[in-house]
């Protein structure tokens, strides 16, 4: 370094470039008018590399070498290399930041687009869900309609089969009745030939016992003409049980007929004479109004066990002038049989249906126990109850005969039948 020749009083220090190691240089500034300093090589005695002195005052300034001073040239090179590397890294980082900034911007734009697509997809999914719900409802309606149509077709098919069976039974009954009438005609012709008297209405069968007495011994449907009902009606005759001649007034066998009906149905009768049926209170009254009839009830369970109840005295509306107004009261007595008595308790009771309450209970026994019967308060038998096919959880609302199977077993088969009381009865 060059010491200034003027201005400044402070010394100037610098490294000597030609000296190996470190050199300390002290320059004093020029002090107003002082002489120029003299510079000379250091003497061996002082050990200084250079001695500087002023000519005027002769004050020496010595420069010494420090042999332990480190060589920093490599450090400066490494520092320069590190500086270059740092500049390069900063340059690359700025470039990367620029590129990354662009990528981040693009990613943000893509995310916005994806968010829009997701919103649209969510709207579409909601629309699909609503459409699916509507389709499910339509499918349910279609399935219900299909089930209804299947049920209607099934019912129609069953109805057609029952109608065909009924027609077949009716034709068979008519054939048997024709044969019976033919035999009666032959018998009447013989009587006329023997007695010379004309045919009278008295020869018409009043019930199945008269049909049996005419020589017919085949079970089937026949016309009968009770004394107080000259127009007559069709009945099923049991010609084989206990001597035959029984007029059937009720039958349960397969549950095909609904017995939970109103007053008019029970008054007039319903069902198929060859299958499940109720003859009708008015007709039963026409047959038994004068008394002198016996009743037999045959029954079977779903294990094919059988039993019967016999009553030596049976009538409906006996000696009544207006049996319907009187409620077709029951008279029954003289039990015998294997099923036990479950009917005597009902003797004297009027007939009750779901729409005509004539029992002694505060409730309508017919509505409560799903049947129609000569209820008291309420029953020990319910042969017109629901066809529940054996044991059931409900109480006393099936086809019940309590003395044989209790109040929670619905019988498979029941048949009520009457005939004029025989002398031995």
């Amino acid at each position: 370094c060059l010491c200034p020749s003027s201005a400044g009083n402070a010394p100037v220090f610098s490294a000597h470039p030609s000296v190996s190691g470190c050199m300390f240089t002290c320059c004093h500034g020029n002090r107003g008018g002082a002489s120029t300093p003299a510079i000379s090589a250091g003497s061996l005695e002082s050990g200084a590399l250079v001695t500087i002195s002023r000519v005027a005052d002769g004050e020496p300034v010595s420069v010494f070498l420090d042999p332990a001073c480190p060589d920093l040239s490599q450090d400066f090179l490494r520092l320069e290399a590190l500086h270059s590397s740092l500049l390069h890294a900063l340059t690359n980082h700025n470039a990367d930041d620029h590129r990354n900034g662009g990528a981040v911007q693009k990613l943000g734009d893509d995310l916005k687009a994806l968010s829009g697509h997701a919103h649209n997809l969510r709207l579409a999914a909601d629309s699909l869900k609503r459409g699916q719900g509507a389709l499910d409802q339509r499918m349910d309606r279609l399935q219900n309609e299909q089930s209804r149509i299947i049920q209607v077709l099934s019912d129609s098919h069953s109805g057609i089969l029952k109608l065909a069976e009924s027609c077949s039974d009716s034709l068979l009954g008519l054939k048997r009745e024709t044969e019976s009438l033919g035999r009666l005609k032959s018998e009447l012709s013989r009587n006329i030939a023997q007695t010379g008297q004309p045919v009278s209405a008295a020869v018409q069968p009043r019930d199945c016992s008269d049909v049996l007495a005419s020589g017919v011994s085949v079970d089937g449907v026949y016309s009968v003409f009770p004394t107080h009902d000259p127009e007559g009606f069709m009945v099923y005759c049991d010609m084989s049980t206990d001597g035959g001649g029984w007029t059937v007034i009720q039958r349960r066998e397969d549950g095909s007929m609904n017995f939970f009906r109103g007053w008019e149905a029970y008054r007039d009768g319903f069902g198929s004479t060859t299958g499940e049926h109720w003859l009708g209170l008015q007709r039963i009254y026409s047959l038994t109004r004068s008394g002198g009839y016996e009743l037999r009830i045959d029954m079977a369970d779903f294990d094919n066990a059988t039993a019967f109840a016999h009553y030596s005295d049976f009538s409906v509306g006996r000696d009544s002038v207006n049996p319907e107004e009187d409620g077709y009261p029951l008279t029954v007595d003289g039990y015998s049989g294997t099923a036990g008595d479950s009917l005597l308790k009902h003797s004297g009771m009027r007939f009750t249906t779901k729409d005509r309450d004539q029992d002694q209970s505060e409730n309508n026994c017919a509505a409560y126990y799903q049947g129609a019967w000569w209820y008291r308060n309420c029953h020990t038998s319910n042969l017109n109850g629901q066809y529940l096919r054996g044991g059931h959880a409900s109480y006393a609302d099936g086809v019940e005969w309590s003395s044989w199977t209790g109040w929670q077993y619905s019988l498979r088969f029941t048949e009520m039948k009457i005939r004029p009381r025989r002398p031995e009865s």
Side-chain angles (χ1 to χ4, degrees):
C1 122
L2 296 177
C3 293
S5 58
S6 63
N9 296 321
V12 177
F13 303 94
S14 68
H16 196 290
S18 62
V19 179
S20 177
C22 286
M23 180 183 65
F24 177 80
T25 304
C26 180
C27 296
H28 285 280
N30 196 1
R31 297 180 180 177
S35 60
T36 302
I39 301 173
S40 63
S43 63
L44 295 176
E45 290 83 3
S46 64
L49 177 63
V50 177
T51 299
I52 302 172
S53 62
R54 296 184 182 274
V55 176
D57 52 16
E59 296 177 355
V61 177
S62 299
V63 178
F64 296 92
L65 287 177
D66 182 2
C69 182
D71 185 2
L72 298 178
S73 60
Q74 293 299 322
D75 293 332
F76 280 115
L77 291 177
R78 284 194 297 272
L79 183 61
E80 289 178 355
L82 181 60
H83 181 261
S84 298
S85 177
L86 182 59
L87 289 177
H88 181 70
L90 288 173
T91 302
N92 291 339
H93 179 70
N94 291 333
D96 290 341
D97 284 346
H98 179 72
R99 287 193 298 270
N100 290 339
V104 168
Q105 180 65 34
K106 186 176 184 303
L107 182 59
D109 295 339
D110 291 342
L111 287 175
K112 290 180 180 179
L114 286 175
S115 177
H117 290 317
H119 178 70
N120 293 334
L121 287 174
R122 185 164 55 252
L123 294 177
D126 292 340
S127 177
L128 287 174
K129 287 180 180 179
R130 290 192 295 272
Q132 181 67 35
L135 286 175
D136 289 341
Q137 292 178 356
R138 292 183 181 180
M139 285 296 296
D140 290 340
R141 288 197 294 269
L142 287 174
Q143 289 176 352
N144 293 334
E145 184 66 18
Q146 182 183 22
S147 299
R148 189 187 68 81
I149 293 173
I150 291 174
Q151 184 63 40
V152 169
L153 292 175
S154 177
D155 293 343
S156 300
H157 181 67
S158 300
I160 291 173
L161 290 178
K162 289 179 181 178
L163 180 60
E165 182 180 356
S166 177
C167 290
S168 177
D169 293 340
S170 298
L171 290 173
L172 181 60
L174 287 173
K175 180 179 178 181
R176 290 175 177 173
E177 185 175 359
T178 302
E179 294 173 353
S180 175
L181 290 174
R183 287 191 293 269
L184 288 173
K185 181 179 180 181
S186 299
E187 183 177 349
L188 290 173
S189 298
R190 288 194 300 271
N191 290 336
I192 292 172
Q194 292 174 0
T195 63
Q197 296 179 357
V199 178
S200 66
V203 299
Q204 290 181 321
R206 293 168 298 177
D207 53 32
C208 291
S209 65
D210 285 349
V211 177
L212 179 65
S214 70
V216 179
S217 59
V218 179
D219 295 349
V221 179
Y222 299 92
S223 291
V224 296
F225 303 88
T227 302
H228 302 285
D229 192 350
E231 293 184 0
F233 46 85
M234 305 285 285
V235 297
Y236 190 91
C237 295
D238 177 357
M239 301 300 194
S240 55
T241 302
D242 189 26
W246 296 98
T247 302
V248 177
I249 64 173
Q250 187 256 26
R251 183 187 295 118
R252 308 293 298 274
E253 62 183 8
D254 56 16
S256 60
M257 185 61 58
N258 174 27
F259 274 68
F260 190 44
R261 296 172 180 254
W263 178 260
E264 291 184 1
Y266 273 94
R267 180 193 63 197
D268 300 335
F270 57 87
S272 171
T273 308
T274 57
E276 292 198 325
H277 72 281
W278 173 259
L279 183 61
L281 291 166
Q282 184 62 36
R283 291 173 179 173
I284 299 172
Y285 163 75
S286 296
L287 288 166
T288 66
R289 59 180 292 180
S290 299
Y293 273 77
E294 59 183 332
L295 169 70
R296 180 184 173 99
I297 305 174
D298 287 307
M299 55 194 84
D301 65 16
F302 283 87
D303 294 322
N304 295 320
T306 60
F308 76 94
H310 178 269
Y311 296 89
S312 60
D313 185 21
F314 171 82
S315 64
V316 170
R318 182 182 297 181
D319 300 325
S320 176
V321 176
N322 191 336
E324 183 173 7
E325 183 177 329
D326 294 339
Y328 297 105
L330 171 69
T331 300
V332 65
D333 200 6
Y335 165 77
S336 63
T338 60
D341 167 52
S342 292
L343 192 59
L344 290 179
K345 177 182 177 180
H346 298 270
S347 185
M349 293 297 99
R350 295 185 294 176
F351 201 84
T352 290
T353 60
K354 62 182 180 180
D355 58 349
R356 182 170 292 194
D357 186 3
Q358 303 186 105
D359 55 49
Q360 296 181 352
S361 172
E362 60 183 19
N363 298 315
N364 184 326
C365 292
Y368 195 83
Y369 292 107
Q370 302 286 296
W373 200 243
W374 294 279
Y375 297 109
R376 185 180 292 271
N377 185 26
C378 269
H379 72 76
T380 55
S381 57
N382 192 36
L383 297 187
N384 291 331
Q386 297 183 92
Y387 197 83
L388 299 179
R389 304 178 186 277
H392 53 88
S394 55
Y395 182 75
D397 56 353
V399 183
E400 318 285 356
W401 192 264
S402 63
S403 59
W404 187 38
T405 54
W407 280 276
Q408 290 181 288
Y409 189 93
S410 184
L411 297 170
R412 177 183 64 82
F413 174 84
T414 66
E415 191 173 74
M416 300 175 65
K417 41 205 171 190
I418 59 175
R419 71 183 178 189
R421 187 166 54 247
R422 295 182 175 182
E424 61 270 21
S425 300

